[in-house]
PDB file of all heavy atoms in Angstrom:
ATOM      1  N   THR G  37     222.585 -88.893 143.249  1.00 98.00           N
ATOM      2  CA  THR G  37     221.835 -89.133 144.478  1.00 98.00           C
ATOM      3  C   THR G  37     220.409 -88.637 144.278  1.00 98.00           C
ATOM      4  O   THR G  37     220.196 -87.576 143.695  1.00 98.00           O
ATOM      5  CB  THR G  37     222.466 -88.406 145.683  1.00 98.00           C
ATOM      6  OG1 THR G  37     223.823 -88.823 145.833  1.00 98.00           O
ATOM      7  CG2 THR G  37     221.708 -88.739 146.964  1.00 98.00           C
ATOM      8  N   LEU G  38     219.445 -89.411 144.751  1.00 98.00           N
ATOM      9  CA  LEU G  38     218.044 -89.057 144.603  1.00 98.00           C
ATOM     10  C   LEU G  38     217.325 -89.391 145.903  1.00 98.00           C
ATOM     11  O   LEU G  38     217.335 -90.542 146.340  1.00 98.00           O
ATOM     12  CB  LEU G  38     217.424 -89.823 143.432  1.00 98.00           C
ATOM     13  CG  LEU G  38     215.945 -89.625 143.154  1.00 98.00           C
ATOM     14  CD1 LEU G  38     215.641 -88.163 142.861  1.00 98.00           C
ATOM     15  CD2 LEU G  38     215.490 -90.510 141.996  1.00 98.00           C
ATOM     16  N   SER G  39     216.720 -88.383 146.503  1.00 98.00           N
ATOM     17  CA  SER G  39     215.986 -88.580 147.739  1.00 98.00           C
ATOM     18  C   SER G  39     214.515 -88.285 147.485  1.00 98.00           C
ATOM     19  O   SER G  39     214.171 -87.202 146.993  1.00 98.00           O
ATOM     20  CB  SER G  39     216.537 -87.648 148.827  1.00 98.00           C
ATOM     21  OG  SER G  39     215.852 -87.841 150.045  1.00 98.00           O
ATOM     22  N   VAL G  40     213.651 -89.255 147.791  1.00 97.00           N
ATOM     23  CA  VAL G  40     212.219 -89.079 147.579  1.00 97.00           C
ATOM     24  C   VAL G  40     211.456 -89.528 148.815  1.00 97.00           C
ATOM     25  O   VAL G  40     211.939 -90.351 149.601  1.00 97.00           O
ATOM     26  CB  VAL G  40     211.706 -89.852 146.338  1.00 97.00           C
ATOM     27  CG1 VAL G  40     212.435 -89.400 145.085  1.00 97.00           C
ATOM     28  CG2 VAL G  40     211.830 -91.345 146.530  1.00 97.00           C
ATOM     29  N   GLN G  41     210.259 -88.971 148.978  1.00 97.00           N
ATOM     30  CA  GLN G  41     209.409 -89.378 150.081  1.00 97.00           C
ATOM     31  C   GLN G  41     208.789 -90.745 149.768  1.00 97.00           C
ATOM     32  O   GLN G  41     208.445 -91.042 148.616  1.00 97.00           O
ATOM     33  CB  GLN G  41     208.287 -88.363 150.283  1.00 97.00           C
ATOM     34  CG  GLN G  41     208.745 -87.021 150.861  1.00 97.00           C
ATOM     35  CD  GLN G  41     209.273 -87.138 152.274  1.00 97.00           C
ATOM     36  OE1 GLN G  41     210.398 -86.740 152.577  1.00 97.00           O
ATOM     37  NE2 GLN G  41     208.457 -87.705 153.159  1.00 97.00           N
ATOM     38  N   GLU G  42     208.648 -91.538 150.804  1.00 97.00           N
ATOM     39  CA  GLU G  42     208.009 -92.836 150.644  1.00 97.00           C
ATOM     40  C   GLU G  42     206.646 -92.658 149.991  1.00 97.00           C
ATOM     41  O   GLU G  42     205.858 -91.777 150.381  1.00 97.00           O
ATOM     42  CB  GLU G  42     207.854 -93.494 152.017  1.00 97.00           C
ATOM     43  CG  GLU G  42     207.249 -94.885 151.981  1.00 97.00           C
ATOM     44  CD  GLU G  42     207.158 -95.509 153.364  1.00 97.00           C
ATOM     45  OE1 GLU G  42     207.739 -94.963 154.316  1.00 97.00           O
ATOM     46  OE2 GLU G  42     206.483 -96.556 153.481  1.00 97.00           O
ATOM     47  N   GLY G  43     206.384 -93.479 148.994  1.00 97.00           N
ATOM     48  CA  GLY G  43     205.110 -93.388 148.276  1.00 97.00           C
ATOM     49  C   GLY G  43     205.194 -92.579 146.996  1.00 97.00           C
ATOM     50  O   GLY G  43     204.340 -92.733 146.110  1.00 97.00           O
ATOM     51  N   ASP G  44     206.197 -91.718 146.898  1.00 97.00           N
ATOM     52  CA  ASP G  44     206.377 -90.942 145.674  1.00 97.00           C
ATOM     53  C   ASP G  44     207.102 -91.780 144.616  1.00 97.00           C
ATOM     54  O   ASP G  44     207.551 -92.892 144.880  1.00 97.00           O
ATOM     55  CB  ASP G  44     207.183 -89.662 145.957  1.00 97.00           C
ATOM     56  CG  ASP G  44     206.371 -88.641 146.746  1.00 97.00           C
ATOM     57  OD1 ASP G  44     205.132 -88.840 146.887  1.00 97.00           O
ATOM     58  OD2 ASP G  44     206.965 -87.648 147.219  1.00 97.00           O
ATOM     59  N   SER G  45     207.215 -91.205 143.418  1.00 98.00           N
ATOM     60  CA  SER G  45     207.900 -91.885 142.319  1.00 98.00           C
ATOM     61  C   SER G  45     209.346 -91.423 142.213  1.00 98.00           C
ATOM     62  O   SER G  45     209.690 -90.308 142.618  1.00 98.00           O
ATOM     63  CB  SER G  45     207.185 -91.599 140.998  1.00 98.00           C
ATOM     64  OG  SER G  45     205.885 -92.142 141.015  1.00 98.00           O
ATOM     65  N   ALA G  46     210.184 -92.290 141.652  1.00 98.00           N
ATOM     66  CA  ALA G  46     211.595 -91.966 141.421  1.00 98.00           C
ATOM     67  C   ALA G  46     211.928 -92.258 139.965  1.00 98.00           C
ATOM     68  O   ALA G  46     211.470 -93.273 139.411  1.00 98.00           O
ATOM     69  CB  ALA G  46     212.487 -92.788 142.339  1.00 98.00           C
ATOM     70  N   VAL G  47     212.697 -91.366 139.366  1.00 98.00           N
ATOM     71  CA  VAL G  47     213.098 -91.544 137.971  1.00 98.00           C
ATOM     72  C   VAL G  47     214.615 -91.368 137.867  1.00 98.00           C
ATOM     73  O   VAL G  47     215.170 -90.380 138.353  1.00 98.00           O
ATOM     74  CB  VAL G  47     212.411 -90.527 137.038  1.00 98.00           C
ATOM     75  CG1 VAL G  47     212.866 -90.752 135.593  1.00 98.00           C
ATOM     76  CG2 VAL G  47     210.908 -90.646 137.141  1.00 98.00           C
ATOM     77  N   ILE G  48     215.262 -92.311 137.239  1.00 98.00           N
ATOM     78  CA  ILE G  48     216.708 -92.268 137.015  1.00 98.00           C
ATOM     79  C   ILE G  48     216.934 -92.348 135.509  1.00 98.00           C
ATOM     80  O   ILE G  48     216.327 -93.177 134.827  1.00 98.00           O
ATOM     81  CB  ILE G  48     217.421 -93.434 137.725  1.00 98.00           C
ATOM     82  CG1 ILE G  48     217.122 -93.406 139.227  1.00 98.00           C
ATOM     83  CG2 ILE G  48     218.933 -93.367 137.481  1.00 98.00           C
ATOM     84  CD1 ILE G  48     217.595 -94.638 139.982  1.00 98.00           C
ATOM     85  N   LYS G  49     217.819 -91.484 135.008  1.00 98.00           N
ATOM     86  CA  LYS G  49     218.007 -91.396 133.563  1.00 98.00           C
ATOM     87  C   LYS G  49     219.431 -91.741 133.151  1.00 98.00           C
ATOM     88  O   LYS G  49     220.391 -91.408 133.861  1.00 98.00           O
ATOM     89  CB  LYS G  49     217.663 -89.980 133.094  1.00 98.00           C
ATOM     90  CG  LYS G  49     216.226 -89.591 133.365  1.00 98.00           C
ATOM     91  CD  LYS G  49     215.902 -88.210 132.838  1.00 98.00           C
ATOM     92  CE  LYS G  49     214.435 -87.883 133.110  1.00 98.00           C
ATOM     93  NZ  LYS G  49     214.058 -86.556 132.565  1.00 98.00           N
ATOM     94  N   CYS G  50     219.531 -92.379 131.993  1.00 98.00           N
ATOM     95  CA  CYS G  50     220.838 -92.746 131.447  1.00 98.00           C
ATOM     96  C   CYS G  50     220.895 -92.445 129.959  1.00 98.00           C
ATOM     97  O   CYS G  50     219.873 -92.545 129.256  1.00 98.00           O
ATOM     98  CB  CYS G  50     221.135 -94.230 131.674  1.00 98.00           C
ATOM     99  SG  CYS G  50     221.455 -94.623 133.405  1.00 98.00           S
ATOM    100  N   THR G  51     222.072 -92.078 129.500  1.00 97.00           N
ATOM    101  CA  THR G  51     222.311 -91.926 128.066  1.00 97.00           C
ATOM    102  C   THR G  51     223.480 -92.827 127.686  1.00 97.00           C
ATOM    103  O   THR G  51     224.341 -93.135 128.516  1.00 97.00           O
ATOM    104  CB  THR G  51     222.639 -90.475 127.686  1.00 97.00           C
ATOM    105  OG1 THR G  51     223.823 -90.066 128.396  1.00 97.00           O
ATOM    106  CG2 THR G  51     221.498 -89.540 128.044  1.00 97.00           C
ATOM    107  N   TYR G  52     223.480 -93.268 126.430  1.00 96.00           N
ATOM    108  CA  TYR G  52     224.574 -94.099 125.949  1.00 96.00           C
ATOM    109  C   TYR G  52     225.090 -93.530 124.638  1.00 96.00           C
ATOM    110  O   TYR G  52     224.413 -92.736 123.981  1.00 96.00           O
ATOM    111  CB  TYR G  52     224.130 -95.559 125.800  1.00 96.00           C
ATOM    112  CG  TYR G  52     222.991 -95.805 124.836  1.00 96.00           C
ATOM    113  CD1 TYR G  52     223.236 -96.244 123.540  1.00 96.00           C
ATOM    114  CD2 TYR G  52     221.664 -95.618 125.229  1.00 96.00           C
ATOM    115  CE1 TYR G  52     222.196 -96.481 122.653  1.00 96.00           C
ATOM    116  CE2 TYR G  52     220.620 -95.852 124.355  1.00 96.00           C
ATOM    117  CZ  TYR G  52     220.884 -96.290 123.077  1.00 96.00           C
ATOM    118  OH  TYR G  52     219.842 -96.521 122.199  1.00 96.00           O
ATOM    119  N   SER G  53     226.283 -93.950 124.255  1.00 94.00           N
ATOM    120  CA  SER G  53     226.915 -93.322 123.090  1.00 94.00           C
ATOM    121  C   SER G  53     226.901 -94.203 121.840  1.00 94.00           C
ATOM    122  O   SER G  53     226.906 -93.685 120.726  1.00 94.00           O
ATOM    123  CB  SER G  53     228.373 -92.965 123.436  1.00 94.00           C
ATOM    124  OG  SER G  53     229.106 -94.137 123.769  1.00 94.00           O
TER     125      SER G  53
END
Side-chain angles (χ1 to χ4, degrees):
Chain G
T37 303
L38 178 59
S39 181
V40 301
Q41 289 294 125
E42 182 178 349
D44 288 349
S45 296
V47 180
I48 303 171
K49 299 182 179 182
C50 289
T51 60
Y52 60 99
S53 61

